[in-house]
Structure formats: C-alpha cells, structure tokens
Amino acid sequence: MFKEILHGFTDLLFPLNCALCGAYDPSTAEQPLCQQCLTTIPYNHPPFCLRCSRHINRSNEQGLCPDCIQQYPDFDDAWVFTRYQPPMTELIRSFKFHNKTSLRKTFHTIANTFAERHSLELRADLLLPIPIHPVRFRERSYNQSELLAEIVSDIFHIPVNINILTKMLLTPRQSDLRRKERWTNIQGAFKIENSSIIKNKEIILVDDLLTTGATASEAAKTLKQAGAAKVKLIALSAA
Ligand SMILES: [Zn+2]
Ligand SMILES: [Zn+2]
C-alpha cells in the first residue's frame, strides 16, 4: 500500500508518460517522447537546398528552394534537423509557447541522430541564439533558441554567447505575417552589443524554425556588417 502511494507520488513528480501520445514508457524519464513517437520524427533529408538546407522535392538547376530563389538569404550555409510536419509542429508549439522546456531533451536526441546520419562536424568560434525582445522574454521567461543553442554547444563543443546579438525592436510575430511582409518586418530589428568579440569570427546562429529565412538572414546581415567573417545557421525545423 505504502509502496503504491509512493509510486503514485513519484509518478506525479516524474510522469513516465509520453508527452505526445500519453502512453506509459519508462524511457520518458530520459526524454519526454515514447520510443514509438520518436520513430515518427520527420527528419530532414536530401536533396537539401544549397543555401538554407531545407528539403527540396526535386533538385532544380540552381539547387535552391523556392524561398531562396525568391530572396537569397544573407547567411552562408545552414543545417536543418527536421521538417516542420506533425509531430514537430506540435512539439515546437509546446516548447515555445507552453513551457514544455523538457522537450529540449528530445531535441538533443534529434540533433544527435541527425548529426550521426550526416556525419556532421561543425566548427565555428561562437554560437549565437536568435534573440527575442525583452518584452517577449518576460512573457515567456525563456528564449527557446537559447535552450537549443545549449544543445548544439553540448554536441559540437562550440561556446554560446547570449549577450552579443540582441533584439531591440518589438516586431509583430513573424507567424502572423505574410511571406513578403516578414522581410520588411524584421529589418533593423537586431543590434550588436560588442562587435570586437565577433570581428573576423565564424558564427553559427541557432533558431527553432526556418520559414522564409528572413529572421536569420537579417541577423546574419547585421553580424556581417559588424565584422563577422562567416555566419551560418542551425535550425531545429524548416517549414
Ligand atoms: Zn508516444
Ligand atoms: Zn533554401
């Protein structure tokens, strides 16, 4: 009896149910998805867009996705771990807007799996998470890209800096805007706090979701104008 109560109590504290399907699975103590749901992750796979690395259906002459053909982004290279399809859509929403920060453990598994599949070896001087405006930070109490940058740092041993690139304009959410508006909405939104740290350095930006590429492109442009040698991008998912 006492054991059962104790067990019920620890289950409340450390629920062993999958964050997606709710199935009981002791492995969710390590990361919140059951083994079955983990197999449904839509990993990004070739052919990749030569610039933003999202999956393209058929390799065209330029090797670019429709977004990059329309507006060539300012970052130099990119890696995207997954495609923005279920269940990634739900996982990213929960991670970003519903405090489900424990999902970072699942994203760590995803990043590791992708890196192994593609023998990914990343080298750079610094990882910079795409910042959010202080007002958004107060609403949310964390920056999802910062948590993702810590994962990338852990896997590839590149230091994270959260103080160099800041967001000074409170822009409407990109997800509320049409594709074209996203490029003008984000212009001039970022600021560099200490450009001596990034001078002639290779930088990798980290973001949760790549859609048009406007946000990462603007951040890359701002960093290059401040003296960064190369700016690349890692995104957890791409639409
Ligand atoms: Zn599940
Ligand atoms: Zn592209």
Side-chain angles (χ1 to χ4, degrees):
M1 176 71 180
F2 174 73
K3 236 183 172 174
E4 275 165 27
I5 293 170
L6 192 71
H7 198 92
F9 188 61
T10 49
D11 260 4
L12 270 180
L13 283 177
F14 309 104
L16 296 176
N17 294 81
C18 172
L20 266 181
C21 72
Y24 173 81
D25 185 337
S27 75
T28 57
E30 303 299 321
Q31 59 76 32
L33 256 58
C34 73
Q35 291 305 309
Q36 175 55 34
C37 283
L38 262 189
T39 65
T40 66
I41 296 296
Y43 279 96
N44 192 17
H45 60 89
F48 298 131
C49 168
L50 289 179
R51 178 48 56 121
C52 78
S53 153
R54 84 179 84 214
H55 175 75
I56 43 181
N57 285 334
R58 201 159 45 87
S59 196
N60 51 34
E61 219 171 273
Q62 296 143 294
L64 297 174
C65 72
D67 279 289
C68 289
I69 289 173
Q70 210 168 65
Q71 179 90 42
Y72 205 59
D74 273 294
F75 47 82
D76 299 290
D77 202 354
W79 300 271
V80 173
F81 299 147
T82 65
R83 303 177 72 186
Y84 195 55
Q85 297 167 348
M88 282 312 292
T89 42
E90 191 182 332
L91 294 178
I92 288 181
R93 244 193 322 270
S94 304
F95 180 59
K96 207 164 164 174
F97 301 116
H98 302 293
N99 285 314
K100 193 80 184 156
T101 52
S102 62
L103 281 170
R104 67 188 188 281
K105 296 177 194 160
T106 304
F107 299 152
H108 196 289
T109 306
I110 289 173
N112 248 331
T113 306
F114 183 89
E116 278 172 19
R117 277 185 195 175
H118 299 279
S119 312
L120 198 59
E121 282 179 43
L122 295 184
R123 279 183 204 88
D125 298 299
L126 276 179
L127 292 172
L128 302 184
I130 294 286
I132 55 177
H133 190 272
V135 166
R136 296 265 190 261
F137 190 85
R138 275 199 296 277
E139 284 169 6
R140 213 177 285 173
S141 81
Y142 59 97
N143 173 5
Q144 71 281 358
S145 300
E146 222 173 286
L147 302 183
L148 293 172
E150 282 164 16
I151 294 170
V152 178
S153 174
D154 187 59
I155 298 174
F156 297 103
H157 312 290
I158 305 168
V160 182
N161 189 310
I162 59 164
N163 301 314
I164 296 171
L165 183 66
T166 58
K167 184 133 185 258
M168 59 173 183
L169 290 183
L170 184 61
T171 49
R173 291 179 206 281
Q174 292 286 77
S175 52
D176 293 338
L177 301 171
R178 286 198 296 265
R179 289 179 108 74
K180 267 209 168 139
E181 292 170 333
R182 294 181 183 203
W183 287 90
T184 44
N185 175 51
I186 202 75
Q187 270 171 28
F190 298 109
K191 191 175 152 217
I192 309 295
E193 296 296 341
N194 187 347
S195 58
S196 66
I197 300 179
I198 57 158
K199 225 167 193 71
N200 302 320
K201 293 281 162 51
E202 284 204 18
I203 287 163
I204 298 179
L205 293 165
V206 184
D207 206 357
D208 53 343
L209 181 61
L210 177 81
T211 47
T212 58
T215 302
S217 182
E218 179 66 19
K221 190 169 88 184
T222 312
L223 286 161
K224 284 181 178 178
Q225 280 167 351
K230 271 214 160 94
V231 184
K232 302 172 182 181
L233 169 73
I234 282 184
L236 174 61
S237 203

